[in-house]
Amino acid sequence: MDLHHLRLLRELGDRGSLAAVARAMHITPSAVSQQLRSLQRSARVPLTERRGRRLVLTEAGRALAAAAIEVSTALDRAGRAVDAYLDNPAVPVTVAAFHSAGLTYFGPLLSRAGLPPLRCSDQDVPQAGFPALVADHDLVLAHRLAHSPPWPADRLTVVPLVHEPLYVAMPAGHRLTSKTSLTADDVAAEPWISVREGFPIEGVLTAIAAAAGRPLEIVHRVNEFTVVAAIVAAGGGLALLPGYTSRPDPGVALRPLADLPVGRRIDVLTRPENLHRVAVRTVLDALHEIAAEHRRPSRA
């Protein structure tokens, strides 16, 4: 049964005529009749009957009109409950992030005054796995290379957070530290530390190999950047490290690549309806503020 049709039935019982209902609802009497006939088709007994020139409710019609009041009241109560939920600044917000973003953002978020309760989760997934995380988390911090395919915006909302440069990391005493910037040819002959297949940043190494015209020697595959920095400092090879979300390591030097645009986008993914919640928008604003505070290279 359609709620609008139930309301028309109730109005007929209260107002006593099709013309009065039509005036109150700003529609024509024929439209009222047509919609009441649609309601009648869903009922097993007559809801209205003719008394002279007037159309009145039967006993069953009056019972259904009374039920319509209860339905309308319940829906109004439900709407108010939803509004209270959306406007409540203290409803917990769930935030997921890949490792280096969690390292950078979780601490400042949790120590920030005025935010709702947070439920944080680290998610080390391939680039293609981030959109699915919005089913279980209000906000998902995701990363992708600047020129990789965009997120599927038809089923989620994408809020850009920051474009982060990537630098070539090498041991502090490496011969290439004498240069202020590097080229693909400079680094292609070195052993490399890469992320696992399917994860962002791997594509940059592919681009370096293509620009240099030779394959790179991948000796280690590690996703966690703090571990990568420790391997680099120990002389285990070169790597790419992010400029804003990696921890400084005195044993590591960073240099930009001059002949390739090297960077990644950090975006916040969410279901569109989540942004109707005051608490979610408050956390999103805080993420933007924290991103602005960290928008400087760690060491380059």
Side-chain angles (χ1 to χ4, degrees), residues 126-145:
Q127 180 174 326
F130 282 107
L133 296 177
V134 300
D136 298 314
H137 303 88
D138 297 320
L139 298 172
V140 176
L141 277 71
H143 60 148
R144 66 178 181 87
L145 297 181

Side-chain angles (χ1 to χ4, degrees), residues 17-18 33 37 46-58:
S17 72
L18 291 178
S33 295
R37 285 195 296 271
L47 302 175
T48 60
E49 61 184 6
R50 285 284 175 184
R51 288 186 187 168
R53 300 178 61 183
R54 295 176 57 234
L55 186 70
V56 298
L57 301 187
T58 63

Side-chain angles (χ1 to χ4, degrees), residues 1 3 6 9-10 60-74:
M1 292 183 181
L3 180 62
L6 291 175
L9 189 72
R10 175 192 177 185
R62 285 192 290 273
L64 185 56
I69 297 174
E70 296 179 10
V71 171
S72 180
T73 301

Side-chain angles (χ1 to χ4, degrees), residues 67-133:
I69 297 174
E70 296 179 10
V71 171
S72 180
T73 301
L75 287 175
D76 180 69
R77 187 165 56 248
R80 292 177 185 275
V82 170
D83 289 341
Y85 171 75
L86 294 176
D87 295 337
N88 187 350
V91 173
V93 175
T94 56
V95 184
F98 56 95
H99 284 162
S100 56
L103 183 67
T104 301
Y105 291 102
F106 285 171
L109 277 178
L110 291 168
S111 61
R112 207 174 190 86
L115 293 187
L118 296 174
R119 307 290 184 263
C120 298
S121 173
D122 67 320
Q123 296 289 339
D124 187 31
V125 299
Q127 180 174 326
F130 282 107
L133 296 177

Side-chain angles (χ1 to χ4, degrees), residues 8 15 34 55 83 105 111-112 145 154 192 198 206 278:
L8 290 177
R15 298 179 186 275
Q34 181 181 4
L55 186 70
D83 289 341
Y105 291 102
S111 61
R112 207 174 190 86
L145 297 181
D154 58 323
W192 277 85
T206 302
V278 168

Side-chain angles (χ1 to χ4, degrees), residues 39-261:
L39 177 61
Q40 179 62 68
R41 284 194 290 270
S42 65
R44 293 180 295 170
V45 294
L47 302 175
T48 60
E49 61 184 6
R50 285 284 175 184
R51 288 186 187 168
R53 300 178 61 183
R54 295 176 57 234
L55 186 70
V56 298
L57 301 187
T58 63
E59 288 291 335
R62 285 192 290 273
L64 185 56
I69 297 174
E70 296 179 10
V71 171
S72 180
T73 301
L75 287 175
D76 180 69
R77 187 165 56 248
R80 292 177 185 275
V82 170
D83 289 341
Y85 171 75
L86 294 176
D87 295 337
N88 187 350
V91 173
V93 175
T94 56
V95 184
F98 56 95
H99 284 162
S100 56
L103 183 67
T104 301
Y105 291 102
F106 285 171
L109 277 178
L110 291 168
S111 61
R112 207 174 190 86
L115 293 187
L118 296 174
R119 307 290 184 263
C120 298
S121 173
D122 67 320
Q123 296 289 339
D124 187 31
V125 299
Q127 180 174 326
F130 282 107
L133 296 177
V134 300
D136 298 314
H137 303 88
D138 297 320
L139 298 172
V140 176
L141 277 71
H143 60 148
R144 66 178 181 87
L145 297 181
H147 301 292
S148 62
W151 307 111
D154 58 323
R155 54 191 178 89
L156 50 81
T157 295
V158 180
V159 182
L161 192 60
V162 68
H163 181 274
E164 182 175 36
L166 299 171
Y167 296 104
V168 176
M170 65 196 77
H174 196 279
R175 60 181 178 80
L176 292 177
T177 57
S178 61
K179 296 189 173 189
T180 57
S181 64
L182 304 173
T183 65
D185 286 333
D186 291 331
V187 300
E190 301 287 331
W192 277 85
I193 306 156
S194 175
V195 293
R196 295 197 294 274
E197 293 182 5
F199 285 75
I201 296 179
E202 183 189 30
V204 178
L205 299 186
T206 302
I208 292 173
R214 57 176 296 174
L216 300 186
E217 180 190 4
I218 306 298
V219 293
H220 307 289
R221 288 192 178 272
V222 178
N223 279 12
E224 174 53 59
F225 286 133
T226 53
V227 178
V228 171
I231 295 174
V232 170
L238 304 188
L240 290 171
L241 287 181
Y244 303 153
T245 57
S246 61
R247 289 284 180 89
D249 187 316
V252 174
L254 299 183
R255 296 292 183 271
L257 272 175
D259 56 345
L260 287 174

